Every structure is written in C-alpha cells, then in structure tokens.
Amino acid sequence: MNHIEKLALRQALEALAVDYWYEVDFNWGQDAHAYYTEDAVFTTSQKSRTGRAAIADFYNARQARGARTSLHVVQNFRAVPVSPERVDCNYVMSLYAADGEGVLPSRPAIMIADVRETVVRQPDGSWLYALRTLRPLFRDDTPTTG
C-alpha cells in the first residue's frame, strides 16, 4: 500500500468514526449497532458488551434514561493496516455530555479517552467494527452512560 492509499484509508476510517459518534450524539445511537460485526466487542469505561444485540441494548437503555446532550469529539486519528481486510485504529475522544436538553452550561470534557478499534472489511467493501475499547485518560465526576 503506497502513501496515498494509506492516507485515503485513514480518511475513510476517520470519517466512519465521526459518522458513528454523530449517530450516537444526534440519533441516540439507535442505529449504532449496525456499525459493528455480529460478534463485535464494545468496551466502555465501565463494561464490555459482545455482539450487535448487546450493543443495541446499551443504546436503547441509554435513550430510556431520558434527555441527554452529548458530543463525542475525535482527534489525533491513526490507522495501521494489519492486512487488506483489517485495520487497527486509535484516537483521542473527548466527551462533552450532561443529562438534559441543550443548551446546557459549557464545561470542559467530562472524559478524555484513548480509543482503540479493530475495523474489518466486509465482502461489499464496507468497514465494520470488530472491537472498540475506550480507556479513560482523564475524567471528572459527571456520570457517563458507559
């Protein structure tokens, strides 16, 4: 893979991550499970969930809690091809979130996390997450929904 191909791959996978977190922030994560393989593992700061159904249950429970405003900001994105069908990614994710409808008081991020992902190419050429792990590096005392 040449330099231009690596950059294009990185840009495509960064766009996938941004689209995923947009889905979580602005659609309650109702379709977030569709970004994962059937047997994917999603580990938040509090718990691991295995499989699309468990991931869907997490986002359904998150929505059932009531109004919440969140922004997941992706920075310093890296993509390391492992094979033509697998890429390991990592980035810094800053989470701004609080219960309630916006506009809410502005505060620093409630969590800054190291995110590690394994993304696998599907037969149709699309990419799905097989693994996503959020490891908090900084946190305040605001509860997350993880």
Side-chain angles (χ1 to χ4, degrees):
M1 181 177 287
N2 67 39
H3 182 67
I4 299 299
E5 292 168 331
K6 285 181 184 177
L7 286 174
L9 177 63
R10 181 182 148 232
Q11 185 64 39
L13 296 177
E14 183 175 9
L16 181 66
V18 169
D19 287 347
Y20 173 82
W21 291 116
Y22 186 90
E23 162 65 26
V24 171
D25 292 334
F26 295 100
N27 193 37
W28 291 94
Q30 290 179 358
D31 297 323
H33 63 283
Y35 285 78
Y36 292 90
T37 61
E38 287 295 335
D39 60 347
V41 177
F42 176 30
T43 302
T44 65
S45 60
Q46 299 174 17
K47 184 178 176 180
S48 287
R49 292 153 185 92
T50 301
R52 272 189 184 167
I55 294 166
D57 288 346
F58 164 66
Y59 284 109
N60 290 334
R62 180 181 183 268
Q63 184 175 4
R65 286 185 48 214
R68 186 163 177 85
T69 301
S70 66
L71 288 173
H72 294 76
V73 180
V74 174
Q75 301 164 294
N76 296 355
F77 194 92
R78 297 182 66 242
V80 179
V82 175
S83 73
E85 285 75 38
R86 179 181 159 205
V87 180
D88 289 340
C89 302
N90 72 285
Y91 53 88
V92 175
M93 194 253 320
S94 300
L95 173 59
Y96 300 85
D99 289 341
E101 298 282 345
V103 173
L104 298 172
S106 180
R107 292 196 169 77
I110 67 168
M111 180 175 67
I112 301 171
D114 174 47
V115 180
R116 303 289 169 140
E117 300 169 336
T118 298
V119 191
V120 293
R121 189 188 312 264
Q122 302 305 295
D124 67 359
S126 65
W127 295 91
L128 293 177
Y129 296 107
L131 176 69
R132 172 177 279 129
T133 302
L134 280 66
R135 183 175 63 94
L137 301 173
F138 301 93
R139 286 204 51 173
D140 73 6
D141 58 358
T142 304
T144 61
T145 58

